[in-house]
Amino acid sequence: MSMFKWDLVHPAPGEAVGPRQRLPWGKTVGLGAQHVVAMFGATFVFPLVMGLDPNLAIMFSGICTVLFLLVCQNRVPSYLGTSASFVAGVAAIRAQHGDSADVTGSILVAGVVLALVGLLVHFSGAGVIHKILPPAVTGAVVMLIGFNLAPVVAGIYWPQDQWVALLTATFMVCAAVLFPGFWSRIAVFLALIFGYVVSWLFDGIFGQIHSITGSSNGQQIDHDRLSWSLVKTADWIGFPSGKLADGVSVVHGPSFSLTFILLVLPGVIALIAENTGHVKAVAEMTGENLDPFMGRAIAADGAATALASLFGGSPTTTYAENIGVMGATRVYSTAAYYVAAAVAILLGLCPKFGAVVSATPGGVLGGITVVLYGMIGLVGAKIWVENHVDFGDPVNMVGLAAGLIAGIGGVTLTFTDNFSLSGIALGTILVIVYFHMVNRPHRTGGHPTATGPQHLGADEVTRAL
């Protein structure tokens, strides 16, 4: 069967549609658009908080989704949206005065490393990953990635408008838990709209706010919460262009620094967990054996991340929100994902649309990120619980402790005036080294910690949404 031939089916109510099947094209287009809405909020939020261009991110999300589907031979339905796994590393790079080229260069290297891991898994099996990165270790790394971001919310986004942030966070929590069905899965997107409207109303009712902004270097100034000055001048059709907040061009080449690369490499661990969990979740829903495609999925995500970063785009990952859409509709057709990719590429070619998103007030981002970042950290705990990690075993209790505190607390280990390890990079190294240093089968009264399959990683936060 040709890779681009899907069997047309007319399923009875409740009957599933497989990856190599499709509904009539009219319904397929509708489902594709639904997938775009599902991934939309997070795919735009994470580039904004990383200081990258959301329009470029959405365009490359479509391009990278097509790449993923091709590498996986249309057997693994998935949408590649912007990854949250590198947000903490990017925040650390910018805290050390790195610019957007340093950010994308570091992420590009991480993407290449992930692609190499995928090749290793493809030819040697997933067992080698589970031995090096058991659930105890993966959960710890995901946890420190999320909780390391707390100062970013407290110091950058929340102070821009605390009341809008509080209202947006409250709405997002309620929407994610209390809204029915599909609406709860797009809680991030709905929170963006809610915060946008509240900021516009507050500008009309209360006037300008005196606070910091994303470009005021911590100085409090009078400013509108919502400014559409750039929206008015943006073109309707065109490639992403212009300058980012740090003066780097939207489309730019990468810059490489070993110090900065080490800050984002822990995100690779989270992406391995995410892709592994995604493939297993899809296999469980479709009833197909997708283990032979595990390595392909990981390698494809790595290649996609490297490709996007090469041009200044955002890192990618398989999106849990779209698993939710598939679970609700029972339509797993990869044809719908090609439609979603095409829609995303078209949106990316509308600069005015991107300008609207880029105008999202800082207070809105504060409300969204205070929830999202906390959820990323708690996903680490979820990995522990779902894999029955025993903290009565000192291997887990003591072996992970130092790395967690070093990573979350920002401990620094200085080697020379020009090179040091700190935060997530140091924490991840300590977690892996200390855990394997003491996790020995012959320990008296001890036992090796389970190294079985782990569940979704950092971007599973949005599966609850």
Side-chain angles (χ1 to χ4, degrees):
M1 176 187 293
S2 169
M3 186 186 300
F4 297 102
K5 179 176 175 58
W6 293 270
D7 294 331
L8 177 62
V9 295
H10 300 276
E15 184 179 349
V17 177
R20 300 306 305 272
Q21 298 176 325
R22 67 169 177 85
L23 297 171
W25 281 115
K27 293 182 179 179
T28 297
V29 169
L31 283 167
Q34 188 173 354
H35 278 298
V36 172
V37 174
M39 65 83 196
F40 185 87
T43 291
F44 266 105
V45 166
F46 293 130
L48 288 175
V49 299
M50 287 190 288
L52 300 174
D53 184 67
N55 237 43
L56 195 63
I58 195 76
M59 186 175 77
F60 267 104
S61 74
I63 295 170
C64 292
T65 295
V66 173
L67 172 64
F68 181 93
L69 294 171
L70 293 175
V71 172
C72 294
Q73 298 180 328
N74 287 344
R75 294 292 300 276
V76 183
S78 179
Y79 192 92
L80 263 58
T82 304
S83 173
S85 300
F86 296 108
V87 172
V90 170
I93 290 173
R94 295 198 181 278
Q96 296 184 30
H97 309 294
D99 62 15
S100 295
D102 295 315
V103 166
T104 52
S106 301
I107 294 174
L108 189 154
V109 173
V112 171
V113 171
L114 182 63
L116 293 175
V117 171
L119 291 176
L120 177 64
V121 171
H122 182 70
F123 290 108
S124 63
V128 63
I129 297 298
H130 298 318
K131 290 179 181 178
I132 298 174
L133 301 174
V137 170
T138 304
V141 173
V142 172
M143 180 173 286
L144 68 86
I145 285 174
F147 292 159
N148 190 268
L149 290 165
V152 177
V153 177
I156 297 177
Y157 297 115
W158 192 274
Q160 294 187 40
D161 193 332
Q162 60 176 359
W163 297 114
V164 168
L166 180 62
L167 289 172
T168 302
T170 303
F171 176 88
M172 183 170 164
V173 169
C174 294
V177 179
L178 302 178
F179 281 17
F182 174 73
W183 296 105
S184 66
R185 297 190 186 96
I186 60 170
V188 177
F189 180 52
L190 297 178
L192 274 173
I193 297 175
F194 174 83
Y196 221 100
V197 172
V198 169
S199 297
W200 175 72
L201 289 174
F202 277 20
D203 277 339
I205 297 172
F206 303 112
Q208 292 187 326
I209 186 173
H210 184 72
S211 71
I212 67 171
T213 69
S215 58
S216 65
N217 297 320
Q219 300 296 317
Q220 293 195 355
I221 60 174
D222 291 325
H223 63 94
D224 292 329
R225 296 169 180 82
L226 178 61
S227 173
W228 270 30
S229 58
L230 295 179
V231 176
K232 295 175 181 177
T233 59
D235 295 329
W236 281 102
I237 300 175
F239 286 99
S241 61
K243 298 286 187 181
L244 298 170
D246 59 3
V248 176
S249 297
V250 166
V251 179
H252 61 267
S255 178
F256 303 99
S257 164
L258 178 59
T259 299
F260 294 153
I261 289 170
L262 291 175
L263 291 175
V264 302
L265 279 180
V268 172
I269 296 175
L271 288 176
I272 292 170
E274 288 165 10
N275 282 280
T276 301
H278 181 90
V279 174
K280 289 183 178 297
V282 172
E284 183 178 340
M285 288 191 298
T286 61
E288 298 187 13
N289 177 21
L290 296 179
D291 283 351
F293 294 91
M294 184 76 72
R296 285 176 176 267
I298 295 173
D301 188 15
T305 292
L307 175 64
S309 300
L310 184 63
F311 295 93
S314 302
T316 63
T317 188
T318 49
Y319 251 39
E321 300 96 317
N322 300 95
I323 290 182
V325 173
M326 289 190 293
T329 61
R330 300 205 69 197
V331 178
Y332 312 113
S333 172
T334 52
Y337 282 97
Y338 279 103
V339 172
V343 172
I345 293 170
L346 290 175
L347 288 175
L349 294 174
C350 179
K352 190 172 289 290
F353 179 74
V356 170
V357 177
S358 295
T360 302
V364 179
L365 294 177
I368 291 174
T369 54
V370 78
V371 180
L372 280 180
Y373 292 171
M375 290 177 67
I376 293 171
L378 290 175
V379 165
K382 186 173 183 289
I383 292 173
W384 286 340
V385 171
E386 292 188 346
N387 290 278
H388 309 290
V389 175
D390 178 15
F391 283 97
D393 186 341
V395 169
N396 299 323
M397 179 65 76
V398 182
L400 304 176
L404 282 171
I405 292 301
I408 295 172
V411 172
T412 299
L413 185 64
T414 301
F415 293 90
T416 68
D417 292 340
N418 299 318
F419 180 73
S420 63
L421 290 172
S422 63
I424 296 173
L426 178 60
T428 299
I429 292 172
L430 292 181
V431 163
I432 295 174
V433 171
Y434 284 170
F435 178 86
H436 288 290
M437 187 169 66
V438 297
N439 185 34
R440 300 182 181 278
H442 60 269
R443 288 184 299 115
T444 303
H447 54 83
T449 303
T451 58
Q454 52 222 355
H455 294 265
L456 289 175
D459 284 291
E460 195 204 25
V461 297
T462 44
R463 188 173 185 180
L465 305 181

